[in-house]
Amino acid sequence: ALAFHGYHDAIGSLPQNLRSKQGKPTLSWRVVILPYIEEDELYKKFRLEEAWDSEHNLKVAEKMPKIYTPVRGKAEKNHTFYQMFSGEKALLNPKAKRITFADISDGLSNTLLIVEAGSGVLWTKPDDLVYDGQEVPKLGGMFRGDFHAALADGSVQKLPKNLDPKVMHSLINPADGTLVDLRKAIQEALAK
């Protein structure tokens, strides 16, 4: 989450998946932030103009940074549970050219940035949790009743998987006009 802030300070927008000239996703935001998680040398080894599954980039993907490694639970080799929500009502918006912190009108502490997904993905692949605004994707691949989430303000929270879906929708959508009392929502979920 702090890498997102560093990237935003340097570039002026939030990291997104890299895209080809034709607009096809090529490499994940997890690659984009490598210089901001002290993995500059690894970043320089990628061919940014090539897709995640090019012969060259697949070889580089074998050196997954420890920060993406699951702390618990099982994932395939070089897979991570850390993903963003992707969709028109999420921060990883394939239709937006740039998203800045100013676009998060609900507030940084009311918006999910990165979450533990229910299943892993190759860390370089631009594949995240597809969010259509209707259904909340499966979360929490590493823990039974909870999942960790980084909010856009840089804080990390342990959230119950049974959090009210309305609360989840508000946390995913950065500009739906709904402010969330996260502490109260967590207490209500734990009381169920």
Side-chain angles (χ1 to χ4, degrees):
L2 294 178
F4 274 68
H5 282 261
Y7 183 95
H8 190 280
D9 289 347
I11 306 299
S13 63
L14 293 172
Q16 298 285 311
N17 292 328
L18 291 179
R19 296 185 169 276
S20 68
K21 291 178 183 175
Q22 295 76 30
K24 183 180 176 185
T26 57
L27 284 164
S28 170
W29 58 268
R30 290 174 288 271
V31 173
V32 173
I33 66 168
L34 286 174
Y36 301 90
I37 59 170
E38 300 179 6
E39 292 284 356
D40 198 44
E41 290 304 312
L42 180 58
Y43 179 77
K44 290 175 184 176
K45 292 179 181 176
F46 280 97
R47 291 184 182 161
L48 302 179
E49 70 284 354
E50 295 181 10
W52 65 274
D53 58 352
S54 73
E55 184 178 343
H56 174 83
N57 285 342
L58 281 175
K59 287 178 185 174
V60 181
E62 292 290 322
K63 296 176 173 57
M64 183 171 81
K66 189 172 182 177
I67 196 170
Y68 297 139
T69 304
V71 294
R72 188 172 162 188
K74 294 184 179 181
E76 292 180 46
K77 183 180 179 190
N78 299 318
H79 280 59
T80 185
F81 288 105
Y82 299 119
Q83 298 178 39
M84 292 178 70
F85 290 101
S86 175
E88 291 183 40
K89 296 181 179 184
L91 286 180
L92 193 59
N93 185 337
K95 294 194 175 182
K97 290 187 178 177
R98 292 174 43 126
I99 296 177
T100 68
F101 283 132
D103 295 320
I104 304 174
S105 59
D106 290 349
L108 303 184
S109 62
N110 282 303
T111 305
L112 291 171
L113 185 62
I114 305 164
V115 295
E116 289 175 347
S119 60
V121 63
L122 183 69
W123 74 278
T124 58
K125 185 177 181 182
D127 187 15
D128 287 271
L129 296 166
V130 176
Y131 177 67
D132 62 6
Q134 303 297 316
E135 296 289 325
V136 176
K138 184 180 175 198
L139 299 170
M142 290 188 265
F143 301 94
R144 289 190 181 149
D146 303 308
F147 67 97
H148 288 93
L151 297 166
D153 65 1
S155 67
V156 176
Q157 297 281 333
K158 184 176 171 186
L159 302 175
K161 288 183 186 178
N162 68 336
L163 208 59
D164 185 322
K166 289 179 186 176
V167 170
M168 284 300 301
H169 289 295
S170 294
L171 290 171
I172 296 167
N173 189 327
D176 71 344
T178 304
L179 301 182
V180 174
D181 183 341
L182 191 54
R183 185 177 304 217
K184 181 180 176 186
I186 291 170
Q187 288 172 347
E188 288 174 354
L190 294 175
K192 290 180 185 177

